[in-house]
Amino acid sequence: MAVPLPSTLRLSSAPDEIQHPHIKFSEWKFKLFRVRSFEKAPEEAQKEKDSSEGKPCLEQSPVVLDKPGGQNSVLTQRALKLHPKFSKKFHADGKSSDKAIHQARLRHFCRICGNHFKSDGHNRRYPVHGPVDAKTQSLFRKKEKRVTSWPDLIARVFRIDVKSDVDSIHPTEFCHNCWSIMHRKFGSAHSQVYCPRNVTVEWHPHTPSCDICFTAHRGLKRKRHQPNVQLSKKLKTMLNHARRDRRKRTQARVSSKEVMKKISNCSKIHLSTKLLAVDFPAHFVKSISCQICEHILADPVETTCKHLFCRICILRCLKVMGSYCPSCRYPCFPTDLESPVKSFLSILNSLMVKCPAPECNEEVSLEKYNHHVSSHKESKETLVHINKGGRPRQHLLSLTRRAQKHRLRELKIQVKEFADKEEGGDVKSVCLTLFLLALRARNEHRQADELEAIMQGRGSGLQPAVCLAIRVNTFLSCSQYHKMYRTVKAITGRQIFQPLHALRNAEKVLLPGYHPFEWQPPLKNVSSRTDVGIIDGLSGLASSVDEYPVDTIAKRFRYDSALVSALMDMEEDILDGMRSQDLDDYLNGPFTVVVKESCDGMGDVSEKHGSGPAVPEKAVRFSFTVMRITIEHGSQNVKIFEEPKPNSELCCKPLCLMLADESDHETLTAILSPLIAEREAMKSSELMLEMGGIPRTFKFIFRGTGYDEKLVREVEGLEASGSVYICTLCDATRLEASQNLVFHSITRSHAENLQRYEVWRSNPYHESVEELRDRVKGVSAKPFIETVPSIDALHCDIGNAAEFYKIFQLEIGEVYKNPNASKEERKRWQATLDKHLRKRMNLKPIMRMNGNFARKLMTQETVDAVCELIPSEERHEALRELMDLYLKMKPVWRSTCPAKECPESLCQYSFNSQRFAELLSTKFKYRYEGKITNYFHKTLAHVPEIIERDGSIGAWASEGNESGNKLFRRFRKMNARQSKCYEMEDVLKHHWLYTSKYLQKFMNAHNALKSSGFTMSSKETLGDSLDIEDSLESQDSMEF
């Protein structure tokens, strides 16, 4: 009965190195004749079984060849019994041949899907390691991708890491079907590509029951026979040849090592390990020596397979021998070489070596060897190249221009000779072409494209940061910018604007979460991670809060990460401020940073797009502004930065955005409490941040002044503005404030409000509600944000303007004569006033007082227009005097620095406020008898005290945060998306970029270019329009 040949003896699959010249004949013979098993006598069979038990190897061959004649077809055991010496050697060689056969079989399988290459009729296969082919490379260039090698591409598409593959376990090629799947992944074809497997193929080392080698046995239906010990003569001959070939390969490997030593040719520049002062163990010496030249490592580099070489040696070998590691033959390219870890370099540099000079017996460390041998100028035994200054040889780019010219002098002469001979003396073109070819060889095609554009006179286009500044400041969405980018590129043939992915890379540097930092001591209950970007507004919420509004959408930055990003954005301003104060750049602080906090509701921000949970269409924004930075120098604090426009939306950085109502105390508490916890932790810690290459220390002072009265009452736990206790700065009631308009002092504080809340909550004296309310002075909820007792200048103006608007109506109706007017009459007075102001002052009626209307209303021209509707001359004088006094007091709380901007008004403020209060209590007694508005009370009673404490009121106003409301609406329209969650992320990100000082410098340069008279006629041709692009490109080289 014919028995098939086991896979361990199938010689056609063996590698070429161990195949016998007559192997083709053997294959033909096996196909032509039937293979029979030998029939043996029972006694001999039993003896053979006993003698060969427990030794299953290649000696037990189940096949022999039938003789053509059919006679004497059964050979005796004695005739083919192996010599004992040959049997012992063949047992060892059989295992290695099994592994070689297994490795050869692996070459016929795909590394990714595991299919046999026979399934592809064209036998198309691709190497797993190495650079991608030309077709794939052209595809990625069209798609503007950076993948240049197969391992990276396979990892991205199939999630398989092939960089750690071993050739004896894993196949080294993949099939055309997997190649097609990669093209389908990144191409634009519509055809479906069949993927043979849904799971990753697992590859295992060779075993006696290997799936690769013994797949033929599993399909057999016939009974297998016991293997026989006898071997054919030709198989024995073939194995002898295989051993001889293996011996030759070993000798070739030894000779290849000698060849690599000759290629490196570094015996005159590298130190031998015999110069080591200490007799280290052999394995340690091997770990610090190059595996090519076997000298002590000089400028060591590490390959991806973790082998160490001298940089010169490995680069020379890669150039001559090919792109693979000389030690393990793993694919290796010059771009894969990296420096070893610093700990290894420190050990290497600390090794003591003997000076090779004959007259010197000193032992020096390897780090100081170059400096030492500089004293042996005339000795020929010193091996390392010595500079004239005795310093180690530096990299070319780290040298001065004069030193670079000196080192490249000979190369420059050779290039000039070539240019004179071949290119007509065009040295520039030769050098640029060499640089271009070097970039192409290293697969750095993006830089090569830019260089090629410069060589062709097309320019390299604007920097990504400039394009980002243009996009953010012109409120272009992603699709709008991409459309502009493609249009300009198609019309002009030049890539003036950068693609979107380049802008996203530029964004990362400017957004929080990019720069590393450290807190000393670490912040309590705050993660030490520094790569934290936009997070959910409810993250960090204490678990003790049982119910929080899950339908609220909120996005924010982590407070400390946002402050770090803001400081790094101001790096140039901080360093320039230190130079302007004649301070050294290396001072590391501590710097004191004063931060203004603002929070305000934005009202209705509803849009007609988007979907998601039912959320309130009102929004709240929490933001901050870096107001001032000082540094301790000697015994005084030196101011190195102060925000010139503290009320501009360009310096008010958003920290948290939420779709919520500012009146919803529970929602506001749930979202802002983690943020406030981070702020409290930062107060007692110092920030360690590297700025200008030097670690510097920063301390923070937080001042919550940018709140309107409604929000102050909300976060400080006070009753609403209609309460009897009208002031958020003192404990005066409305009646007390109307009786004493001027003389009050600031008495409230955050700590006192907390104490009063505890009294309100626990009622320790068992008082009635009215008595308890009088004791806590209007505190009815727990304060959760610390605010600075101050006046918000913007809302103070708006509140006072609303009161003057009411006074004008009452004066038109002569309420001082008839205080009991009906509601219809009062509406008629308001309509008369609105009509007259629209006619004379071009002031359109509004539903609610705003800042612009208030500024136009509070003028003497408005009073003169109103007086035309009032018949009494006496009332004219009272109104004019009241407005005149108000306009004299207004600059004191509106100016950024009243002591410099309006010192005269500041000195007269007390007198003017007392006269203003006197007019209210006499001429306008009908309105202010027993009552007064909140902002009139603060204006008359508390302004001088706040100015004396803070130096300014206007600088600490919330005007910058209010100006950001219109930005929120524009950014939301710009980033309209179906999901409001992602929409809020985009709005927060672009609002942050809008406030970046780094991007503002580019826009300032652009505005300066426009103001200098740069215009373009609409009739200019397309060719003339390139002048605009050239002008835009000139922004890149401008010094700010």
Side-chain angles (χ1 to χ4, degrees):
M1 186 175 77
V3 179
L5 180 68
S7 56
T8 53
L9 290 180
R10 287 184 180 174
L11 306 178
S12 61
S13 300
D16 298 335
E17 291 83 0
I18 66 172
Q19 285 192 2
H20 193 269
H22 302 291
I23 190 69
K24 297 298 181 182
F25 172 75
S26 301
E27 291 182 2
W28 166 79
K29 196 171 183 180
F30 278 122
K31 292 179 182 178
L32 187 61
F33 298 106
R34 296 169 58 191
V35 180
R36 296 179 180 271
S37 60
F38 294 118
E39 296 182 10
K40 294 178 286 188
E43 296 82 8
E44 292 181 350
Q46 184 65 30
K47 292 179 181 178
E48 179 65 21
K49 182 177 180 180
D50 297 338
S51 63
S52 63
E53 187 177 358
K55 298 180 181 179
C57 64
L58 283 177
E59 298 175 12
Q60 300 171 347
S61 176
V63 295
V64 291
L65 300 178
D66 290 346
K67 287 190 176 183
Q71 297 177 359
N72 300 327
S73 60
V74 180
L75 302 177
T76 61
Q77 180 182 1
R78 187 179 306 168
L80 285 181
K81 189 171 183 179
L82 294 176
H83 191 275
K85 183 178 180 181
F86 176 80
S87 176
K88 186 176 181 180
K89 291 183 178 179
F90 185 71
H91 177 72
D93 293 339
K95 293 184 179 179
S96 60
S97 63
D98 280 353
K99 293 182 180 179
I101 294 172
H102 173 80
Q103 188 171 349
R105 290 181 181 277
L106 283 175
R107 297 177 185 174
H108 299 283
F109 292 92
C110 173
R111 167 65 179 89
I112 300 172
C113 63
N115 284 354
H116 202 281
F117 286 130
K118 288 183 180 179
S119 59
D120 183 12
H122 301 282
N123 196 22
R124 292 169 292 186
R125 55 182 73 186
Y126 305 88
V128 170
H129 303 284
V132 297
D133 57 353
K135 189 173 181 181
T136 309
Q137 187 64 45
S138 62
L139 173 65
F140 286 139
R141 288 184 63 188
K142 291 178 183 178
K143 297 296 180 180
E144 297 179 345
K145 304 291 183 181
R146 281 188 174 272
V147 180
T148 58
S149 62
W150 286 123
D152 296 337
L153 187 57
I154 293 172
R156 289 183 59 177
V157 177
F158 298 100
R159 302 292 190 270
I160 299 175
D161 182 16
V162 298
K163 292 184 178 180
S164 59
D165 281 5
V166 181
D167 291 349
S168 61
I169 300 177
H170 303 87
T172 57
E173 294 175 318
F174 61 93
C175 63
H176 183 71
N177 194 35
C178 297
W179 181 88
S180 303
I181 293 173
M182 297 184 203
H183 274 247
R184 172 65 175 163
K185 179 73 174 179
F186 296 97
S188 56
H190 298 284
S191 60
Q192 295 291 333
V193 177
Y194 168 68
C195 186
R197 294 179 183 269
N198 294 326
V199 295
T200 304
V201 180
E202 295 184 2
W203 303 94
H204 303 285
H206 177 67
T207 58
S209 59
C210 178
D211 295 335
I212 301 298
C213 299
F214 289 87
T215 52
H217 292 164
R218 297 183 179 179
L220 288 177
K221 296 182 180 179
R222 300 175 183 176
K223 186 177 180 180
R224 292 181 60 193
H225 288 255
Q226 292 295 328
N228 204 321
V229 188
Q230 302 165 357
L231 276 173
S232 67
K233 183 178 179 181
K234 292 191 176 179
L235 181 58
K236 188 192 307 182
T237 307
M238 183 207 71
L239 290 171
N240 288 333
H241 280 281
R243 274 199 303 276
R244 200 177 304 119
D245 293 341
R246 191 179 299 111
R247 209 174 294 119
K248 291 180 180 179
R249 285 201 309 273
T250 306
Q251 295 174 358
R253 194 177 299 119
V254 174
S255 61
S256 66
K257 200 162 190 178
E258 297 298 329
V259 170
M260 287 191 291
K261 286 185 179 180
K262 291 180 181 179
I263 292 173
S264 61
N265 192 21
C266 59
S267 59
K268 294 184 178 181
I269 58 175
H270 291 168
L271 296 176
S272 172
T273 53
K274 297 178 181 179
L275 294 177
L276 289 171
V278 181
D279 188 13
F280 292 107
H283 64 274
F284 178 78
V285 174
K286 186 176 181 180
S287 66
I288 61 166
S289 58
C290 175
Q291 299 189 27
I292 294 176
C293 65
E294 297 182 350
H295 295 148
I296 299 176
L297 286 167
D299 191 10
V301 292
E302 188 179 31
T303 61
T304 52
C305 51
K306 304 303 180 184
H307 291 123
L308 292 171
F309 305 95
C310 303
R311 186 182 294 274
I312 294 177
C313 300
I314 184 64
L315 290 178
R316 289 177 179 175
C317 286
L318 291 179
K319 186 176 181 180
V320 177
M321 306 291 289
S323 298
Y324 56 83
C325 175
S327 295
C328 63
R329 315 289 289 179
Y330 189 79
C332 177
F333 301 93
T335 54
D336 299 334
L337 302 178
E338 297 179 353
S339 297
V341 294
K342 292 183 178 179
S343 58
F344 176 80
L345 294 177
S346 62
I347 295 173
L348 182 65
N349 292 329
S350 63
L351 293 176
M352 303 300 292
V353 294
K354 302 173 185 177
C355 179
E359 69 277 3
C360 181
N361 297 322
E362 291 190 27
E363 296 179 358
V364 294
S365 63
L366 192 61
E367 185 177 14
K368 300 179 181 179
Y369 176 79
N370 288 349
H371 180 71
H372 171 74
V373 297
S374 62
S375 59
H376 307 304
K377 295 182 179 179
E378 299 179 357
S379 176
K380 297 182 180 180
E381 301 296 329
T382 54
L383 302 178
V384 182
H385 171 79
I386 308 300
N387 287 335
K388 290 184 178 180
R391 295 172 295 178
R393 187 173 180 85
Q394 297 177 341
H395 193 273
L396 183 64
L397 295 178
S398 63
L399 298 175
T400 62
R401 186 173 300 176
R402 183 177 180 181
Q404 289 174 344
K405 289 181 179 179
H406 178 74
R407 184 178 292 185
L408 299 176
R409 181 177 55 187
E410 295 183 3
L411 178 61
K412 183 179 178 182
I413 294 173
Q414 294 176 8
V415 171
K416 192 174 186 305
E417 290 177 356
F418 175 82
D420 293 339
K421 182 179 179 181
E422 303 289 341
E423 300 296 330
D426 192 356
V427 180
K428 178 181 177 182
S429 297
V430 175
C431 294
L432 288 176
T433 306
L434 283 173
F435 185 31
L436 180 64
L437 292 175
L439 292 176
R440 297 287 188 198
R442 298 181 61 180
N443 292 327
E444 298 178 3
H445 296 293
R446 186 175 300 281
Q447 297 181 24
D449 292 340
E450 295 177 0
L451 177 61
E452 195 170 7
I454 295 175
M455 293 171 63
Q456 297 175 1
R458 294 186 283 116
S460 60
L462 299 176
Q463 292 182 358
V466 180
C467 299
L468 181 61
I470 293 173
R471 185 205 162 191
V472 171
N473 284 271
T474 53
F475 302 98
L476 293 177
S477 64
C478 292
S479 57
Q480 290 172 335
Y481 177 83
H482 186 63
K483 187 177 181 180
M484 179 189 70
Y485 160 75
R486 293 178 58 187
T487 304
V488 173
K489 187 176 181 180
I491 293 176
T492 63
R494 300 170 55 184
Q495 185 171 317
I496 298 173
F497 296 99
Q498 298 297 326
L500 274 173
H501 66 81
L503 269 64
R504 292 192 180 98
N505 291 333
E507 286 176 2
K508 294 177 183 177
V509 184
L510 302 174
L511 290 173
Y514 181 81
H515 302 282
F517 57 91
E518 184 182 0
W519 289 93
Q520 294 293 342
L523 299 184
K524 186 179 180 182
N525 297 329
V526 179
S527 172
S528 59
R529 288 185 57 186
T530 61
D531 55 343
V532 181
I534 299 177
I535 60 178
D536 187 74
L538 292 171
S539 63
L541 185 67
S543 58
S544 60
V545 179
D546 296 327
E547 296 180 0
Y548 58 87
V550 293
D551 58 346
T552 299
I553 295 177
K555 295 294 176 182
R556 71 178 181 96
F557 296 113
R558 211 174 72 187
Y559 208 157
D560 58 338
S561 182
L563 285 173
V564 168
S565 181
L567 289 176
M568 294 303 296
D569 191 44
M570 300 163 55
E571 180 178 4
E572 293 184 16
D573 297 328
I574 295 173
L575 296 180
D576 289 344
M578 293 177 66
R579 297 188 195 102
S580 64
Q581 296 292 338
D582 297 329
L583 299 176
D584 296 323
D585 288 348
Y586 58 80
L587 291 179
N588 58 356
F591 296 84
T592 303
V593 183
V594 182
V595 179
K596 175 178 73 173
E597 294 178 335
S598 305
C599 186
D600 189 29
M602 289 180 277
D604 185 17
V605 293
S606 59
E607 295 285 346
K608 293 183 179 181
H609 64 266
S611 61
V615 296
E617 287 298 313
K618 290 187 176 182
V620 179
R621 180 178 57 255
F622 189 97
S623 55
F624 70 91
T625 304
V626 178
M627 296 291 292
R628 185 170 59 246
I629 300 177
T630 59
I631 183 174
E632 294 183 10
H633 185 63
S635 59
Q636 59 181 356
N637 288 333
V638 181
K639 186 190 300 181
I640 59 175
F641 173 80
E642 186 169 15
E643 179 57 53
K645 297 180 179 179
N647 290 322
S648 170
E649 70 272 14
L650 296 176
C651 64
C652 190
K653 294 186 172 293
L655 188 63
C656 179
L657 291 178
M658 66 190 90
L659 289 176
D661 192 351
E662 61 180 324
S663 301
D664 189 349
H665 183 82
E666 289 76 14
T667 303
L668 214 60
T669 306
I671 296 176
L672 294 182
S673 290
L675 191 145
I676 300 304
E678 295 168 7
R679 183 188 72 170
E680 295 300 319
M682 286 188 286
K683 286 182 179 180
S684 57
S685 187
E686 293 184 353
L687 173 67
M688 307 295 294
L689 178 64
E690 184 174 336
M691 183 177 290
I694 300 174
R696 306 180 194 268
T697 307
F698 293 87
K699 298 178 180 179
F700 294 92
I701 298 176
F702 301 94
R703 291 176 55 86
T705 60
Y707 304 89
D708 60 0
E709 180 158 339
K710 179 181 179 181
L711 205 60
V712 168
R713 290 179 176 274
E714 185 72 33
V715 301
E716 287 286 4
L718 303 178
E719 296 175 352
S721 56
S723 170
V724 174
Y725 299 93
I726 65 167
C727 188
T728 59
L729 308 178
C730 65
D731 298 335
T733 61
R734 195 174 299 274
L735 180 61
E736 294 171 352
S738 64
Q739 293 172 352
N740 181 10
L741 294 175
V742 178
F743 301 105
H744 293 276
S745 60
I746 299 175
T747 56
R748 290 189 186 270
S749 66
H750 183 72
E752 186 181 23
N753 290 339
L754 284 172
Q755 295 175 358
R756 289 176 173 177
Y757 169 73
E758 290 300 321
V759 173
W760 171 265
R761 186 181 62 83
S762 59
N763 192 11
Y765 304 106
H766 307 287
E767 298 171 315
S768 64
V769 176
E770 292 300 326
E771 293 173 342
L772 186 60
R773 187 183 176 206
D774 184 60
R775 178 179 292 276
V776 299
K777 305 297 181 184
V779 176
S780 59
K782 184 179 180 179
F784 66 94
I785 297 181
E786 181 180 0
T787 62
V788 177
S790 183
I791 300 174
D792 182 43
L794 174 65
H795 290 89
C796 183
D797 270 358
I798 294 174
N800 290 339
E803 189 61 23
F804 266 90
Y805 184 70
K806 194 68 178 177
I807 291 175
F808 291 159
Q809 297 177 31
L810 299 179
E811 287 295 320
I812 291 172
E814 297 182 344
V815 179
Y816 59 90
K817 293 181 181 179
N818 181 22
N820 299 321
S822 62
K823 192 173 182 179
E824 288 75 12
E825 290 178 328
R826 295 176 185 273
K827 287 184 178 180
R828 189 169 63 250
W829 302 340
Q830 181 179 357
T832 303
L833 177 62
D834 289 341
K835 184 177 180 181
H836 194 69
L837 290 178
R838 185 166 189 170
K839 179 180 179 182
R840 295 296 304 274
M841 303 298 299
N842 197 23
L843 282 175
K844 298 180 182 180
I846 56 173
M847 296 294 294
R848 186 180 179 184
M849 183 67 64
N850 57 47
N852 292 329
F853 192 91
R855 278 188 289 271
K856 294 179 181 179
L857 183 70
M858 304 304 289
T859 59
Q860 285 291 353
E861 290 79 5
T862 305
V863 175
D864 294 338
V866 172
C867 288
E868 295 176 4
L869 302 176
I870 302 174
S872 173
E873 289 292 334
E874 182 182 357
R875 308 306 298 179
H876 293 179
E877 293 179 5
L879 267 181
R880 288 192 175 96
E881 185 180 4
L882 192 69
M883 180 63 73
D884 181 61
L885 291 171
Y886 180 82
L887 294 179
K888 288 180 180 178
M889 293 188 297
K890 179 180 176 180
V892 176
W893 72 75
R894 286 297 293 175
S895 59
T896 303
C897 185
K900 294 181 180 179
E901 298 176 16
C902 52
E904 192 173 331
S905 299
L906 182 61
C907 294
Q908 297 176 358
Y909 191 89
S910 297
F911 172 78
N912 292 334
S913 61
Q914 291 185 21
R915 176 58 185 160
F916 191 91
E918 185 180 344
L919 281 176
L920 293 182
S921 58
T922 55
K923 300 290 184 178
F924 301 92
K925 186 178 180 180
Y926 64 90
R927 173 73 177 166
Y928 299 103
E929 186 175 7
K931 58 182 180 180
I932 194 172
T933 62
N934 304 2
Y935 282 110
F936 266 179
H937 164 71
K938 292 179 180 179
T939 301
L940 298 175
H942 296 303
V943 168
E945 188 177 358
I946 297 174
I947 294 292
E948 184 179 357
R949 182 192 68 191
D950 299 337
S952 173
I953 294 178
W956 300 94
S958 66
E959 194 164 3
N961 197 47
E962 292 286 344
S963 301
N965 291 351
K966 62 180 182 293
L967 290 178
F968 176 85
R969 292 179 173 86
R970 292 199 65 174
F971 280 122
R972 191 177 184 196
K973 191 172 295 184
M974 161 185 166
N975 296 286
R977 298 178 67 167
Q978 290 298 317
S979 171
K980 287 188 174 66
C981 184
Y982 292 115
E983 183 180 282
M984 293 294 285
E985 286 188 11
D986 292 340
V987 171
L988 181 60
K989 178 178 69 175
H990 284 95
H991 197 165
W992 180 275
L993 294 174
Y994 186 83
T995 61
S996 169
K997 293 185 179 295
Y998 178 72
L999 297 183
Q1000 289 169 21
K1001 292 175 182 178
F1002 293 112
M1003 293 312 299
N1004 292 339
H1006 177 65
N1007 295 332
L1009 191 66
K1010 291 172 60 178
S1011 62
S1012 63
F1014 175 77
T1015 57
M1016 181 185 71
S1017 173
S1018 59
K1019 298 181 180 180
E1020 284 182 330
T1021 62
L1022 184 61
D1024 296 334
S1025 66
L1026 296 180
D1027 297 337
I1028 302 175
E1029 296 148 9
D1030 295 335
S1031 301
L1032 288 174
E1033 290 171 14
S1034 66
Q1035 295 178 31
D1036 300 353
S1037 59
M1038 296 183 69
E1039 299 269 339
F1040 298 106

